[in-house]
Amino acid sequence: MTNADDDSSPQCSLAADATLARTAEAAVSATTAPTPRPLPDTTARVLVMGIVNRTQDSFFDEGRTWALETAVTAGLEAAAAGADIIDVGGVKFAPGAPLPAAEEIDRVVPVLRALRRELPAHVLLSVDTFHASVAAASIEVGADLINDTTGLWDPDMAPTVARTGASLVITHSLAHPRREYPRPRYEDVVEEVRDFLAARLERALEADIPRERIVLDPGPDLNKNTLQTLELLRDWSEYSSLGLPVLAALSRKDVIGESLGLAKEERLEGSLAAAAWAMRQGARILRVHDVTATVRMVRMFEVLTGWREPAGPLIHNM
């Protein structure tokens, strides 16, 4: 793969990606677009979702995977480390200047196209977006799952996902996309987040998205402070009780850093502990930066629950 990106020249990078996108769109129109694949059964397994950010301002990797070839390589490496889903994002959730949907498409579509071509068939592709137009373009080149961190803010999102047959993550958040939401207040954060998710679930079902293609995410840290997020975690089973897979996006977040007094570079162990806590209360998808460590933790959890046999060899005291 030829890398046309240069970290020091983002406009040049986006122009090159736009050319790639237009070329591929012509090719896709002449063939059958990939069909979205269903989510695996999570009754007796936990899925690991590896993060690939096609941005220069992501909070943890800070542009490490901005270059096209680097982003694709990161996705392939995450899959090789055991990730079940690769989640590609072109704009971060945190407040900032709006990014036009067309530019977001130019960022994520080339990555998704390459990964759909090169990944093993069992590894699914997700796109982290709140724009229905970005979702549609992503599904056309191979995305299976739309990870909407704004709880269906775009009124066209649910109909787009329903029409294309993709799956959907519905996340709790309150602010308009990329807007500040200072000093969030809740009377009962656990109940209010549950009610929000239940209402958005009903909206998705009314748009004819099948239940088996919907995932819920309580949105730790999203428009919530650390104390509110800790309340969510303590009562995580409230969200699992809605009867759908629940995604836990806790990796390296401020709730970990402020709980332990640690910088983001030192939050791995805290992230794993929080993920294990959420799994014990029903989380079935973990969205993470550290795939290898998380996969090992998940495998041990699955052995302890009796869902997976020990890898062996079983020689201790045998």
Side-chain angles (χ1 to χ4, degrees):
M1 186 187 316
T2 300
N3 179 13
D5 290 297
D6 180 347
D7 288 356
S8 65
S9 179
Q11 294 305 318
C12 180
S13 168
L14 290 174
D17 289 354
T19 301
L20 285 172
R22 285 191 293 270
T23 302
E25 283 167 5
V28 167
S29 66
T31 61
T32 302
T35 301
R37 297 161 293 184
L39 293 168
D41 183 2
T42 57
T43 303
R45 66 180 295 192
V46 176
L47 306 178
V48 175
M49 174 187 279
I51 298 168
V52 175
N53 287 316
R54 188 82 206 283
T55 65
Q56 291 185 305
D57 57 356
S58 51
F59 96 96
F60 179 61
D61 55 52
E62 297 179 334
R64 183 181 62 83
T65 52
W66 164 253
L68 174 57
E69 187 168 346
T70 305
V72 174
T73 298
L76 295 174
E77 289 176 347
D84 304 285
I85 306 169
I86 307 301
D87 189 47
V88 180
V91 59
K92 68 178 183 178
F93 176 86
L99 184 75
E103 191 169 334
E104 187 181 348
I105 289 170
D106 288 343
R107 290 182 180 188
V108 300
V109 161
V111 182
L112 293 165
R113 183 187 300 107
L115 288 176
R116 184 66 188 250
R117 183 177 62 246
E118 299 183 38
L119 283 172
H122 69 276
V123 179
L124 302 188
L125 282 174
S126 169
V127 63
D128 181 352
T129 187
F130 51 82
H131 284 125
S133 59
V134 177
S138 299
I139 295 165
E140 186 176 5
V141 298
D144 307 289
L145 176 65
I146 303 303
N147 181 15
D148 180 2
T149 56
T150 65
L152 303 179
W153 171 83
D154 185 335
D156 292 329
M157 181 64 83
T160 296
V161 172
R163 183 179 68 253
T164 57
S167 298
L168 174 69
V169 178
I170 302 173
T171 305
H172 174 273
S173 64
L174 297 176
H176 286 279
R178 309 283 284 152
R179 298 275 187 87
E180 294 277 0
Y181 198 87
R183 295 191 176 93
R185 294 288 183 265
Y186 300 89
E187 292 295 322
D188 183 330
V189 66
V190 174
E191 181 178 348
E192 290 174 47
V193 170
R194 189 185 190 281
D195 289 348
F196 176 100
L197 292 175
R200 295 304 191 274
L201 168 60
E202 188 62 29
R203 184 185 299 179
L205 293 173
E206 289 174 354
D208 293 328
I209 303 175
R211 285 185 68 90
E212 61 270 19
R213 294 209 172 208
I214 301 174
V215 176
L216 303 178
D217 176 0
D221 273 9
L222 304 188
N223 306 143
K224 306 168 190 72
N225 62 35
T226 288
L227 296 179
Q228 291 159 351
T229 294
L230 289 172
E231 288 187 54
L232 290 187
L233 284 165
R234 291 175 184 132
D235 285 328
W236 192 269
S237 59
E238 285 291 318
Y239 312 114
S240 306
S241 71
L242 290 168
L244 293 172
V246 180
L247 183 150
L250 294 158
S251 180
R252 307 269 180 173
K253 284 194 168 180
D254 284 344
V255 64
I256 310 298
E258 293 186 3
S259 294
L260 300 177
L262 295 174
K264 60 189 177 183
E265 297 82 9
E266 301 178 278
R267 298 175 186 174
L268 172 58
E269 297 87 351
S271 298
L272 293 173
W277 174 271
M279 284 193 300
R280 186 66 176 152
Q281 296 193 69
R284 290 297 174 262
I285 304 175
L286 305 179
R287 184 178 183 271
V288 303
H289 300 90
D290 306 282
V291 172
T292 298
T294 304
V295 167
R296 290 173 181 171
M297 184 266 292
V298 165
R299 296 289 178 267
M300 190 67 212
F301 176 86
E302 291 173 340
V303 170
L304 289 169
T305 57
W307 296 346
R308 177 184 294 271
E309 293 298 318
L314 301 180
I315 58 177
H316 178 72
N317 283 346
M318 298 298 282

